[in-house]
Amino acid sequence: MRALMLKRRDFIKSTAVTGMAAAIGAPLFTALSAGKAAKAAEETSTTKIVRTCCRACIGKCGVLAHVKDGRVIKLEGDPDQPMSKGGMCAKGLAGIQALYHPNRNKYPMQRVGARGENKWKRISWEEALDIIAKKLMETREKYGAETVFCTTGGGGNPQFTSVQRFCNVFGTPNWFEPGAAQCYMPRTLAYQMMYGKTETLFQTTSIADGECAEIYFPDDTPMKTLVMWGTAPSNNSPSQGGRAVVELRARGVRTVVIDPRLTPDAAKADVWLPIRPGTDVALMLCWINYILEKKLYDAELVMKWSNLPFLVNTETKMCLRESDLKAGGDSETFVVWDQKTQSARPLPYPWDETLEPALEGTYTVNGVQCKTGFQLLKERAEPYTLEETAKICWLDSDRIEAGIKLYAENTPSGISLGVATDQHPNSVQAAMGACTLDLIMGNVGRPGSLLQNFKCSGFDDSMVPPLNHFLSEEQLNKRLGGNEYKGMLMWWFAHASTLLEAILTGEPYKPRVWIERSGNKLATLANASAWMEAIEQMDFIVHMYMYPTSFSAYADILLPAKEWLETDFVIPSLNMLFVRQPVTHLWETMDETLFWAKLAKRCGELGHEGCRDSFDPAKTAPEPPYWNSMEEFHNGNCMHLAGMTFAELAEKVPFEFFPYREWKQYYTYKKIDPGTGKPVGFGTATKKLQIYGENFITLGRTGAPYATYPLPPASKDYDPLPYFMEPHESPLEGNELVKEYPLVMTNGRLPYFHHTTLRNIPWLREIYPVPELWIHPKAAATYGISQGDWVWVESKRGKIRAKALVTEGINPGVVYMERFWTPETLDTETHGWREMNVNILSKNDAPFNDVAGTYTLRGYLVKVSKADGPPKGVWLKPGDFSPWLPEVSDPTKEVEV
């Protein structure tokens, strides 16, 4: 940061005569200047406690912020928050260091040197918005709105639907975040397609995303077994999910952990399965095969509340309808094989006691071969015996069986599926496999299961209505990768690798303007080096974030985003509401929710019809129009959902939105709908569990249920059942690549960082200064590596360094490394992202997941060799990080634009 800091010092000198120099301040723990100290002595020192909520990750834990003379001096957990119960992790406690970091982005800045030089001049927000809006309008006029694209994600208070909304009203179909298809979206898609829409925005079993509400009631749940599949709550959500799992274990809940590395959760597990990365679906099919063969499934729920008894045309793969049996038959009534009459019969919802449907079997109906959904699932899983799966997954067959039996025989149970399975091209199928297991076991809607339909307040992280109807059919069809990977429609984003290819080739058109609102894209995007040529070809780049990152060096405009202690939002926590409210406000930072609205307004003033209409309630209906202030935004939501203003709600926190017993209700699918007199069922088209995923076929052919217009079909039908696909860079015999790259790389979270954030926090970097490469002693001996050695890690795509951690807590054929970048080398030619960034090694080309376009962040091949030392310029000792210690900064007024 040397050059950027010098530039700021130059700025201070040049503006001191106008009184601007006080905006920077002195180090927090040094004496104030005599004049400032005298002024402070005249004031009455008061300390107040402000109740707020963290956003150092997605956990949103309750926080009590101690504020003295306008400055935050202490953070502690809020004991009234029912999920964190007064706990805070290292990320949250780093909030003061993040807030008062000397290298914060403080003002809008415009590049004055070449890209990569880190030379800037300060401009006003009005100037910044005008420059950006005029460039957007110019690009739209010359090349089309689709040549503008926006990105978010990577940590740091992202408000995803703000980006989506702006893109829709501007008319570009192209936005993405580096997670999405590689993080959470494959699970949200599969679970919603199979389990159905629920009260909550998304219904999966992700502990890290604040779901699995059942685990937060250790004294009020009959749960007996918890399976943590590719998730480590002790690392990703220590104050919430990690704490809850500890309490469950203390009360006798057994645990199974599927993870290549011995995480803290794995170390305490009854069964640990150190799986080969990328083979999760094979193991899931093995579990399904075992459960079906041993008849351990919930027979009544499978028969009466799932679509597995439905007959499926084996040629079309679609379920039979009554309309297939006779002219004039109902196209919404499905067909079963009745064992009493030995014929195909329509099955009215919810059931017909006069019928005796067959669960298994192959039958001929009107000359067409049909099988039950159950039969097709059984056939899909049959090859995955314990012995064969053990070979595929590098596991012991007896341990596999022990894990299955604990899950299937010690019930109620549940599978918490984590991000690991989202990060290889078998992603959606892994989510389908995990969901299938819980559904056939009846782990849905009953006490002790993770899949519930507890009531929802309506407040969530996506309180910004995306206005998808503003995007025309013509523009929707231009979405890069959108027609092939229609699963992306659930989150409405474009395919990152297809967009990259379009920049480099100009086909089908060339994206030219990039607005980025998040952290360090060069540390989160796979095969990061491939994006450098694209960055060089961009006409214009905007970066909005709390502090400079590697990506900032290549921007044309830098915008200062608020830290979480400066922001406000309504935070639901189980049956209660809390608020994140500003504790202070520094410099000229702005909330991104407001930034996108102001950018849309300026584009509208320059003649953009969609942006202008987005402020018209008649045009945005039934959703609210854009807002002119955060107060307007929050009050609109709070009045609509809670009947009070945001300030009034903040005064009532903790606010019980639902009485506990009204909120925590089980077996909701059996409740009677007064309008029909029938059970409400599940939130699917059939009102039953869609374990046979016929709707995946429809999604691929038309985009339904997520497209606003019918889309052309994908190149091939999506498979209605989970299937295993061997990783493209396979370590198995027969792949020539394995001779040079013999080890499988995996990743995973640590409790100190969230995505690419907080690598500039002194206390956290003292704990974890550089990334470690976990390697098994056998592999270490093979490659001449000892504990603490610096090593080279290399894939087909690049070469980086790490520090060796030799441990038996890793599968012998696997190595683990956390993504990393080094803010201390931002002003070198590497810009901090080339030294130890594991995503230089990862894979961003085909094969992709056929439904969601997921590329390969885990499960690719690498080799390891000894290095001669650490990268140049990287800080290693605690004292090295002192330049990042926080600086005193007085509060400032909100920016008026």
Side-chain angles (χ1 to χ4, degrees), residues 745 771 773 790-795 798-802 817-818 820 833-841 860 863 865 867 871:
M745 172 63 78
L773 182 85
W790 279 95
V791 297
W792 290 107
V793 191
E794 188 172 357
S795 76
K799 185 176 182 179
I800 60 172
R801 273 182 275 199
M817 187 173 173
E818 202 268 345
F820 213 82
W833 66 277
R834 298 180 187 269
E835 292 92 336
M836 299 178 288
N837 175 13
V838 75
N839 278 325
I840 285 178
L841 311 181
Y860 54 90
K863 63 181 177 182
S865 59

PDB file of all heavy atoms in Angstrom, residues 745 771 773 790-795 798-802 817-818 820 833-841 860 863 865 867 871:
ATOM      1  N   MET A 745      -6.405 -31.489  -4.785  1.00  0.00           N
ATOM      2  CA  MET A 745      -6.527 -30.268  -3.990  1.00  0.00           C
ATOM      3  C   MET A 745      -7.965 -30.065  -3.514  1.00  0.00           C
ATOM      4  O   MET A 745      -8.922 -30.229  -4.272  1.00  0.00           O
ATOM      5  CB  MET A 745      -6.096 -29.057  -4.810  1.00  0.00           C
ATOM      6  CG  MET A 745      -6.365 -27.711  -4.138  1.00  0.00           C
ATOM      7  SD  MET A 745      -5.458 -27.453  -2.584  1.00  0.00           S
ATOM      8  CE  MET A 745      -3.829 -27.026  -3.242  1.00  0.00           C
ATOM      9  N   PRO A 771      -1.019 -18.846   4.313  1.00  0.00           N
ATOM     10  CA  PRO A 771      -1.800 -20.067   4.142  1.00  0.00           C
ATOM     11  C   PRO A 771      -0.962 -21.322   4.347  1.00  0.00           C
ATOM     12  O   PRO A 771       0.199 -21.387   3.924  1.00  0.00           O
ATOM     13  CB  PRO A 771      -2.301 -19.978   2.706  1.00  0.00           C
ATOM     14  CG  PRO A 771      -1.287 -19.147   2.012  1.00  0.00           C
ATOM     15  CD  PRO A 771      -0.815 -18.151   3.029  1.00  0.00           C
ATOM     16  N   LEU A 773      -0.480 -25.435   3.789  1.00  0.00           N
ATOM     17  CA  LEU A 773      -0.830 -26.566   2.946  1.00  0.00           C
ATOM     18  C   LEU A 773      -0.863 -27.810   3.826  1.00  0.00           C
ATOM     19  O   LEU A 773       0.176 -28.264   4.299  1.00  0.00           O
ATOM     20  CB  LEU A 773       0.184 -26.764   1.818  1.00  0.00           C
ATOM     21  CG  LEU A 773      -0.180 -27.915   0.868  1.00  0.00           C
ATOM     22  CD1 LEU A 773      -1.139 -27.426  -0.209  1.00  0.00           C
ATOM     23  CD2 LEU A 773       1.058 -28.539   0.241  1.00  0.00           C
ATOM     24  N   TRP A 790       8.532 -24.177   3.426  1.00  0.00           N
ATOM     25  CA  TRP A 790       7.843 -23.479   2.347  1.00  0.00           C
ATOM     26  C   TRP A 790       7.843 -24.381   1.119  1.00  0.00           C
ATOM     27  O   TRP A 790       8.858 -25.004   0.814  1.00  0.00           O
ATOM     28  CB  TRP A 790       8.513 -22.144   2.044  1.00  0.00           C
ATOM     29  CG  TRP A 790       8.105 -21.085   3.005  1.00  0.00           C
ATOM     30  CD1 TRP A 790       8.741 -20.703   4.138  1.00  0.00           C
ATOM     31  CD2 TRP A 790       6.916 -20.296   2.926  1.00  0.00           C
ATOM     32  NE1 TRP A 790       8.043 -19.719   4.788  1.00  0.00           N
ATOM     33  CE2 TRP A 790       6.900 -19.442   4.061  1.00  0.00           C
ATOM     34  CE3 TRP A 790       5.850 -20.210   2.034  1.00  0.00           C
ATOM     35  CZ2 TRP A 790       5.886 -18.528   4.306  1.00  0.00           C
ATOM     36  CZ3 TRP A 790       4.830 -19.299   2.267  1.00  0.00           C
ATOM     37  CH2 TRP A 790       4.851 -18.469   3.391  1.00  0.00           C
ATOM     38  N   VAL A 791       6.691 -24.471   0.467  1.00  0.00           N
ATOM     39  CA  VAL A 791       6.554 -25.393  -0.660  1.00  0.00           C
ATOM     40  C   VAL A 791       5.935 -24.674  -1.851  1.00  0.00           C
ATOM     41  O   VAL A 791       5.201 -23.687  -1.705  1.00  0.00           O
ATOM     42  CB  VAL A 791       5.688 -26.620  -0.292  1.00  0.00           C
ATOM     43  CG1 VAL A 791       6.348 -27.427   0.818  1.00  0.00           C
ATOM     44  CG2 VAL A 791       4.279 -26.208   0.129  1.00  0.00           C
ATOM     45  N   TRP A 792       6.254 -25.191  -3.008  1.00  0.00           N
ATOM     46  CA  TRP A 792       5.563 -24.805  -4.235  1.00  0.00           C
ATOM     47  C   TRP A 792       4.358 -25.729  -4.412  1.00  0.00           C
ATOM     48  O   TRP A 792       4.457 -26.929  -4.187  1.00  0.00           O
ATOM     49  CB  TRP A 792       6.466 -24.943  -5.450  1.00  0.00           C
ATOM     50  CG  TRP A 792       7.582 -23.955  -5.531  1.00  0.00           C
ATOM     51  CD1 TRP A 792       8.909 -24.182  -5.320  1.00  0.00           C
ATOM     52  CD2 TRP A 792       7.463 -22.562  -5.851  1.00  0.00           C
ATOM     53  NE1 TRP A 792       9.642 -23.035  -5.488  1.00  0.00           N
ATOM     54  CE2 TRP A 792       8.778 -22.007  -5.818  1.00  0.00           C
ATOM     55  CE3 TRP A 792       6.383 -21.727  -6.160  1.00  0.00           C
ATOM     56  CZ2 TRP A 792       9.026 -20.671  -6.084  1.00  0.00           C
ATOM     57  CZ3 TRP A 792       6.643 -20.385  -6.430  1.00  0.00           C
ATOM     58  CH2 TRP A 792       7.942 -19.869  -6.391  1.00  0.00           C
ATOM     59  N   VAL A 793       3.237 -25.148  -4.807  1.00  0.00           N
ATOM     60  CA  VAL A 793       2.042 -25.921  -5.146  1.00  0.00           C
ATOM     61  C   VAL A 793       1.682 -25.541  -6.567  1.00  0.00           C
ATOM     62  O   VAL A 793       1.520 -24.350  -6.879  1.00  0.00           O
ATOM     63  CB  VAL A 793       0.863 -25.615  -4.203  1.00  0.00           C
ATOM     64  CG1 VAL A 793      -0.249 -26.630  -4.412  1.00  0.00           C
ATOM     65  CG2 VAL A 793       1.311 -25.606  -2.751  1.00  0.00           C
ATOM     66  N   GLU A 794       1.536 -26.536  -7.427  1.00  0.00           N
ATOM     67  CA  GLU A 794       1.410 -26.248  -8.854  1.00  0.00           C
ATOM     68  C   GLU A 794       0.324 -27.106  -9.487  1.00  0.00           C
ATOM     69  O   GLU A 794       0.196 -28.304  -9.199  1.00  0.00           O
ATOM     70  CB  GLU A 794       2.757 -26.512  -9.538  1.00  0.00           C
ATOM     71  CG  GLU A 794       2.826 -26.086 -10.976  1.00  0.00           C
ATOM     72  CD  GLU A 794       4.240 -26.205 -11.536  1.00  0.00           C
ATOM     73  OE1 GLU A 794       5.154 -26.578 -10.760  1.00  0.00           O
ATOM     74  OE2 GLU A 794       4.422 -25.931 -12.731  1.00  0.00           O
ATOM     75  N   SER A 795      -0.484 -26.496 -10.379  1.00  0.00           N
ATOM     76  CA  SER A 795      -1.455 -27.223 -11.203  1.00  0.00           C
ATOM     77  C   SER A 795      -1.148 -26.908 -12.668  1.00  0.00           C
ATOM     78  O   SER A 795      -0.179 -26.201 -12.973  1.00  0.00           O
ATOM     79  CB  SER A 795      -2.888 -26.791 -10.868  1.00  0.00           C
ATOM     80  OG  SER A 795      -3.185 -25.526 -11.429  1.00  0.00           O
ATOM     81  N   GLY A 798      -1.097 -22.878 -12.945  1.00  0.00           N
ATOM     82  CA  GLY A 798      -0.233 -21.914 -12.288  1.00  0.00           C
ATOM     83  C   GLY A 798       0.548 -22.513 -11.141  1.00  0.00           C
ATOM     84  O   GLY A 798       0.467 -23.718 -10.853  1.00  0.00           O
ATOM     85  N   LYS A 799       1.292 -21.637 -10.455  1.00  0.00           N
ATOM     86  CA  LYS A 799       2.205 -22.080  -9.411  1.00  0.00           C
ATOM     87  C   LYS A 799       2.229 -21.029  -8.299  1.00  0.00           C
ATOM     88  O   LYS A 799       2.377 -19.835  -8.562  1.00  0.00           O
ATOM     89  CB  LYS A 799       3.601 -22.245 -10.012  1.00  0.00           C
ATOM     90  CG  LYS A 799       4.675 -22.816  -9.096  1.00  0.00           C
ATOM     91  CD  LYS A 799       5.968 -22.993  -9.887  1.00  0.00           C
ATOM     92  CE  LYS A 799       7.076 -23.612  -9.036  1.00  0.00           C
ATOM     93  NZ  LYS A 799       8.332 -23.795  -9.814  1.00  0.00           N
ATOM     94  N   ILE A 800       2.075 -21.488  -7.059  1.00  0.00           N
ATOM     95  CA  ILE A 800       2.047 -20.586  -5.902  1.00  0.00           C
ATOM     96  C   ILE A 800       2.862 -21.205  -4.767  1.00  0.00           C
ATOM     97  O   ILE A 800       3.348 -22.329  -4.873  1.00  0.00           O
ATOM     98  CB  ILE A 800       0.602 -20.325  -5.429  1.00  0.00           C
ATOM     99  CG1 ILE A 800      -0.070 -21.651  -5.028  1.00  0.00           C
ATOM    100  CG2 ILE A 800      -0.193 -19.600  -6.497  1.00  0.00           C
ATOM    101  CD1 ILE A 800      -1.412 -21.493  -4.370  1.00  0.00           C
ATOM    102  N   ARG A 801       2.956 -20.465  -3.650  1.00  0.00           N
ATOM    103  CA  ARG A 801       3.657 -20.984  -2.486  1.00  0.00           C
ATOM    104  C   ARG A 801       2.738 -21.091  -1.273  1.00  0.00           C
ATOM    105  O   ARG A 801       1.716 -20.409  -1.182  1.00  0.00           O
ATOM    106  CB  ARG A 801       4.860 -20.098  -2.149  1.00  0.00           C
ATOM    107  CG  ARG A 801       6.105 -20.482  -2.907  1.00  0.00           C
ATOM    108  CD  ARG A 801       7.294 -19.635  -2.535  1.00  0.00           C
ATOM    109  NE  ARG A 801       7.341 -18.397  -3.297  1.00  0.00           N
ATOM    110  CZ  ARG A 801       8.446 -17.663  -3.434  1.00  0.00           C
ATOM    111  NH1 ARG A 801       9.575 -18.044  -2.862  1.00  0.00           N
ATOM    112  NH2 ARG A 801       8.423 -16.549  -4.120  1.00  0.00           N
ATOM    113  N   ALA A 802       3.113 -21.963  -0.329  1.00  0.00           N
ATOM    114  CA  ALA A 802       2.396 -22.126   0.934  1.00  0.00           C
ATOM    115  C   ALA A 802       3.374 -22.697   1.953  1.00  0.00           C
ATOM    116  O   ALA A 802       4.489 -23.116   1.608  1.00  0.00           O
ATOM    117  CB  ALA A 802       1.205 -23.054   0.765  1.00  0.00           C
ATOM    118  N   MET A 817      -5.747 -26.329   1.076  1.00  0.00           N
ATOM    119  CA  MET A 817      -5.195 -24.983   1.174  1.00  0.00           C
ATOM    120  C   MET A 817      -6.338 -23.984   1.154  1.00  0.00           C
ATOM    121  O   MET A 817      -7.273 -24.112   0.363  1.00  0.00           O
ATOM    122  CB  MET A 817      -4.228 -24.711   0.030  1.00  0.00           C
ATOM    123  CG  MET A 817      -3.489 -23.388   0.145  1.00  0.00           C
ATOM    124  SD  MET A 817      -2.224 -23.250  -1.140  1.00  0.00           S
ATOM    125  CE  MET A 817      -1.698 -21.559  -0.887  1.00  0.00           C
ATOM    126  N   GLU A 818      -6.242 -22.973   2.011  1.00  0.00           N
ATOM    127  CA  GLU A 818      -7.243 -21.907   2.068  1.00  0.00           C
ATOM    128  C   GLU A 818      -6.849 -20.807   1.089  1.00  0.00           C
ATOM    129  O   GLU A 818      -5.675 -20.495   0.932  1.00  0.00           O
ATOM    130  CB  GLU A 818      -7.302 -21.351   3.502  1.00  0.00           C
ATOM    131  CG  GLU A 818      -8.584 -20.641   3.854  1.00  0.00           C
ATOM    132  CD  GLU A 818      -8.545 -19.157   3.590  1.00  0.00           C
ATOM    133  OE1 GLU A 818      -7.444 -18.612   3.393  1.00  0.00           O
ATOM    134  OE2 GLU A 818      -9.624 -18.542   3.584  1.00  0.00           O
ATOM    135  N   PHE A 820      -6.080 -17.225  -0.386  1.00  0.00           N
ATOM    136  CA  PHE A 820      -5.357 -16.200   0.349  1.00  0.00           C
ATOM    137  C   PHE A 820      -4.872 -15.121  -0.608  1.00  0.00           C
ATOM    138  O   PHE A 820      -4.611 -15.374  -1.792  1.00  0.00           O
ATOM    139  CB  PHE A 820      -4.145 -16.822   1.065  1.00  0.00           C
ATOM    140  CG  PHE A 820      -3.797 -16.174   2.372  1.00  0.00           C
ATOM    141  CD1 PHE A 820      -4.480 -16.512   3.525  1.00  0.00           C
ATOM    142  CD2 PHE A 820      -2.799 -15.211   2.446  1.00  0.00           C
ATOM    143  CE1 PHE A 820      -4.168 -15.928   4.740  1.00  0.00           C
ATOM    144  CE2 PHE A 820      -2.478 -14.615   3.658  1.00  0.00           C
ATOM    145  CZ  PHE A 820      -3.168 -14.975   4.816  1.00  0.00           C
ATOM    146  N   TRP A 833      -2.108 -10.777  -5.239  1.00  0.00           N
ATOM    147  CA  TRP A 833      -2.944 -11.941  -5.530  1.00  0.00           C
ATOM    148  C   TRP A 833      -2.194 -13.093  -6.189  1.00  0.00           C
ATOM    149  O   TRP A 833      -2.769 -14.172  -6.373  1.00  0.00           O
ATOM    150  CB  TRP A 833      -4.122 -11.546  -6.410  1.00  0.00           C
ATOM    151  CG  TRP A 833      -3.768 -11.098  -7.806  1.00  0.00           C
ATOM    152  CD1 TRP A 833      -3.362  -9.855  -8.184  1.00  0.00           C
ATOM    153  CD2 TRP A 833      -3.796 -11.891  -9.000  1.00  0.00           C
ATOM    154  NE1 TRP A 833      -3.122  -9.813  -9.538  1.00  0.00           N
ATOM    155  CE2 TRP A 833      -3.388 -11.059 -10.068  1.00  0.00           C
ATOM    156  CE3 TRP A 833      -4.120 -13.212  -9.277  1.00  0.00           C
ATOM    157  CZ2 TRP A 833      -3.298 -11.501 -11.384  1.00  0.00           C
ATOM    158  CZ3 TRP A 833      -4.046 -13.668 -10.599  1.00  0.00           C
ATOM    159  CH2 TRP A 833      -3.635 -12.813 -11.627  1.00  0.00           C
ATOM    160  N   ARG A 834      -0.933 -12.908  -6.500  1.00  0.00           N
ATOM    161  CA  ARG A 834      -0.210 -13.960  -7.227  1.00  0.00           C
ATOM    162  C   ARG A 834       0.639 -14.851  -6.328  1.00  0.00           C
ATOM    163  O   ARG A 834       1.039 -15.940  -6.736  1.00  0.00           O
ATOM    164  CB  ARG A 834       0.687 -13.337  -8.299  1.00  0.00           C
ATOM    165  CG  ARG A 834      -0.065 -12.571  -9.373  1.00  0.00           C
ATOM    166  CD  ARG A 834       0.899 -11.980 -10.386  1.00  0.00           C
ATOM    167  NE  ARG A 834       0.253 -11.098 -11.346  1.00  0.00           N
ATOM    168  CZ  ARG A 834      -0.252 -11.496 -12.517  1.00  0.00           C
ATOM    169  NH1 ARG A 834      -0.201 -12.766 -12.856  1.00  0.00           N
ATOM    170  NH2 ARG A 834      -0.816 -10.623 -13.336  1.00  0.00           N
ATOM    171  N   GLU A 835       0.912 -14.423  -5.087  1.00  0.00           N
ATOM    172  CA  GLU A 835       1.872 -15.134  -4.261  1.00  0.00           C
ATOM    173  C   GLU A 835       1.359 -16.467  -3.738  1.00  0.00           C
ATOM    174  O   GLU A 835       2.003 -17.503  -3.883  1.00  0.00           O
ATOM    175  CB  GLU A 835       2.303 -14.261  -3.067  1.00  0.00           C
ATOM    176  CG  GLU A 835       3.127 -13.054  -3.445  1.00  0.00           C
ATOM    177  CD  GLU A 835       2.292 -11.812  -3.679  1.00  0.00           C
ATOM    178  OE1 GLU A 835       1.086 -11.973  -3.990  1.00  0.00           O
ATOM    179  OE2 GLU A 835       2.819 -10.692  -3.561  1.00  0.00           O
ATOM    180  N   MET A 836       0.199 -16.432  -3.082  1.00  0.00           N
ATOM    181  CA  MET A 836      -0.272 -17.609  -2.348  1.00  0.00           C
ATOM    182  C   MET A 836      -1.781 -17.831  -2.558  1.00  0.00           C
ATOM    183  O   MET A 836      -2.470 -18.311  -1.672  1.00  0.00           O
ATOM    184  CB  MET A 836       0.037 -17.449  -0.853  1.00  0.00           C
ATOM    185  CG  MET A 836       1.523 -17.327  -0.554  1.00  0.00           C
ATOM    186  SD  MET A 836       1.897 -17.087   1.201  1.00  0.00           S
ATOM    187  CE  MET A 836       1.347 -15.409   1.454  1.00  0.00           C
ATOM    188  N   ASN A 837      -2.266 -17.487  -3.717  1.00  0.00           N
ATOM    189  CA  ASN A 837      -3.687 -17.537  -4.038  1.00  0.00           C
ATOM    190  C   ASN A 837      -4.038 -18.886  -4.673  1.00  0.00           C
ATOM    191  O   ASN A 837      -3.699 -19.139  -5.823  1.00  0.00           O
ATOM    192  CB  ASN A 837      -4.023 -16.380  -4.976  1.00  0.00           C
ATOM    193  CG  ASN A 837      -5.448 -16.411  -5.479  1.00  0.00           C
ATOM    194  OD1 ASN A 837      -6.292 -17.141  -4.970  1.00  0.00           O
ATOM    195  ND2 ASN A 837      -5.719 -15.614  -6.500  1.00  0.00           N
ATOM    196  N   VAL A 838      -4.732 -19.727  -3.917  1.00  0.00           N
ATOM    197  CA  VAL A 838      -5.028 -21.069  -4.417  1.00  0.00           C
ATOM    198  C   VAL A 838      -5.881 -21.039  -5.677  1.00  0.00           C
ATOM    199  O   VAL A 838      -5.866 -21.990  -6.473  1.00  0.00           O
ATOM    200  CB  VAL A 838      -5.694 -21.923  -3.308  1.00  0.00           C
ATOM    201  CG1 VAL A 838      -7.141 -21.511  -3.102  1.00  0.00           C
ATOM    202  CG2 VAL A 838      -5.599 -23.417  -3.612  1.00  0.00           C
ATOM    203  N   ASN A 839      -6.618 -19.942  -5.900  1.00  0.00           N
ATOM    204  CA  ASN A 839      -7.451 -19.877  -7.099  1.00  0.00           C
ATOM    205  C   ASN A 839      -6.685 -19.503  -8.363  1.00  0.00           C
ATOM    206  O   ASN A 839      -7.280 -19.367  -9.431  1.00  0.00           O
ATOM    207  CB  ASN A 839      -8.636 -18.942  -6.874  1.00  0.00           C
ATOM    208  CG  ASN A 839      -9.754 -19.653  -6.144  1.00  0.00           C
ATOM    209  OD1 ASN A 839      -9.989 -20.841  -6.342  1.00  0.00           O
ATOM    210  ND2 ASN A 839     -10.434 -18.954  -5.265  1.00  0.00           N
ATOM    211  N   ILE A 840      -5.381 -19.377  -8.256  1.00  0.00           N
ATOM    212  CA  ILE A 840      -4.547 -19.405  -9.461  1.00  0.00           C
ATOM    213  C   ILE A 840      -4.489 -20.830 -10.005  1.00  0.00           C
ATOM    214  O   ILE A 840      -4.316 -21.058 -11.200  1.00  0.00           O
ATOM    215  CB  ILE A 840      -3.133 -18.872  -9.142  1.00  0.00           C
ATOM    216  CG1 ILE A 840      -3.183 -17.345  -9.011  1.00  0.00           C
ATOM    217  CG2 ILE A 840      -2.115 -19.287 -10.203  1.00  0.00           C
ATOM    218  CD1 ILE A 840      -1.858 -16.712  -8.647  1.00  0.00           C
ATOM    219  N   LEU A 841      -4.678 -21.791  -9.111  1.00  0.00           N
ATOM    220  CA  LEU A 841      -4.560 -23.205  -9.490  1.00  0.00           C
ATOM    221  C   LEU A 841      -5.877 -23.820  -9.954  1.00  0.00           C
ATOM    222  O   LEU A 841      -5.883 -24.807 -10.690  1.00  0.00           O
ATOM    223  CB  LEU A 841      -4.044 -24.020  -8.297  1.00  0.00           C
ATOM    224  CG  LEU A 841      -2.807 -23.503  -7.566  1.00  0.00           C
ATOM    225  CD1 LEU A 841      -2.442 -24.449  -6.428  1.00  0.00           C
ATOM    226  CD2 LEU A 841      -1.636 -23.333  -8.526  1.00  0.00           C
ATOM    227  N   TYR A 860      -9.282 -30.929  -8.116  1.00  0.00           N
ATOM    228  CA  TYR A 860      -8.390 -30.936  -9.276  1.00  0.00           C
ATOM    229  C   TYR A 860      -7.000 -31.387  -8.822  1.00  0.00           C
ATOM    230  O   TYR A 860      -6.723 -31.493  -7.621  1.00  0.00           O
ATOM    231  CB  TYR A 860      -8.332 -29.562  -9.942  1.00  0.00           C
ATOM    232  CG  TYR A 860      -7.964 -28.427  -9.016  1.00  0.00           C
ATOM    233  CD1 TYR A 860      -6.635 -28.056  -8.829  1.00  0.00           C
ATOM    234  CD2 TYR A 860      -8.950 -27.716  -8.333  1.00  0.00           C
ATOM    235  CE1 TYR A 860      -6.296 -27.018  -7.974  1.00  0.00           C
ATOM    236  CE2 TYR A 860      -8.622 -26.671  -7.481  1.00  0.00           C
ATOM    237  CZ  TYR A 860      -7.291 -26.329  -7.304  1.00  0.00           C
ATOM    238  OH  TYR A 860      -6.954 -25.298  -6.451  1.00  0.00           O
ATOM    239  N   LYS A 863       0.711 -30.757  -7.868  1.00  0.00           N
ATOM    240  CA  LYS A 863       1.938 -31.371  -7.378  1.00  0.00           C
ATOM    241  C   LYS A 863       2.578 -30.425  -6.374  1.00  0.00           C
ATOM    242  O   LYS A 863       2.320 -29.212  -6.371  1.00  0.00           O
ATOM    243  CB  LYS A 863       2.904 -31.683  -8.517  1.00  0.00           C
ATOM    244  CG  LYS A 863       3.417 -30.476  -9.283  1.00  0.00           C
ATOM    245  CD  LYS A 863       4.359 -30.936 -10.402  1.00  0.00           C
ATOM    246  CE  LYS A 863       4.840 -29.749 -11.245  1.00  0.00           C
ATOM    247  NZ  LYS A 863       5.722 -30.200 -12.354  1.00  0.00           N
ATOM    248  N   SER A 865       6.290 -29.398  -4.231  1.00  0.00           N
ATOM    249  CA  SER A 865       7.749 -29.529  -4.131  1.00  0.00           C
ATOM    250  C   SER A 865       8.271 -28.487  -3.154  1.00  0.00           C
ATOM    251  O   SER A 865       7.595 -27.496  -2.847  1.00  0.00           O
ATOM    252  CB  SER A 865       8.408 -29.341  -5.502  1.00  0.00           C
ATOM    253  OG  SER A 865       8.092 -28.063  -6.033  1.00  0.00           O
ATOM    254  N   ALA A 867      10.161 -25.376  -1.628  1.00  0.00           N
ATOM    255  CA  ALA A 867      10.559 -24.043  -2.081  1.00  0.00           C
ATOM    256  C   ALA A 867      11.701 -23.523  -1.219  1.00  0.00           C
ATOM    257  O   ALA A 867      11.972 -24.053  -0.141  1.00  0.00           O
ATOM    258  CB  ALA A 867       9.369 -23.087  -2.028  1.00  0.00           C
ATOM    259  N   PRO A 871       7.332 -15.939  -0.168  1.00  0.00           N
ATOM    260  CA  PRO A 871       7.317 -14.929  -1.229  1.00  0.00           C
ATOM    261  C   PRO A 871       7.889 -13.606  -0.721  1.00  0.00           C
ATOM    262  O   PRO A 871       7.783 -13.265   0.460  1.00  0.00           O
ATOM    263  CB  PRO A 871       5.835 -14.787  -1.573  1.00  0.00           C
ATOM    264  CG  PRO A 871       5.181 -16.021  -1.049  1.00  0.00           C
ATOM    265  CD  PRO A 871       5.980 -16.430   0.147  1.00  0.00           C
TER     266      PRO A 871
END
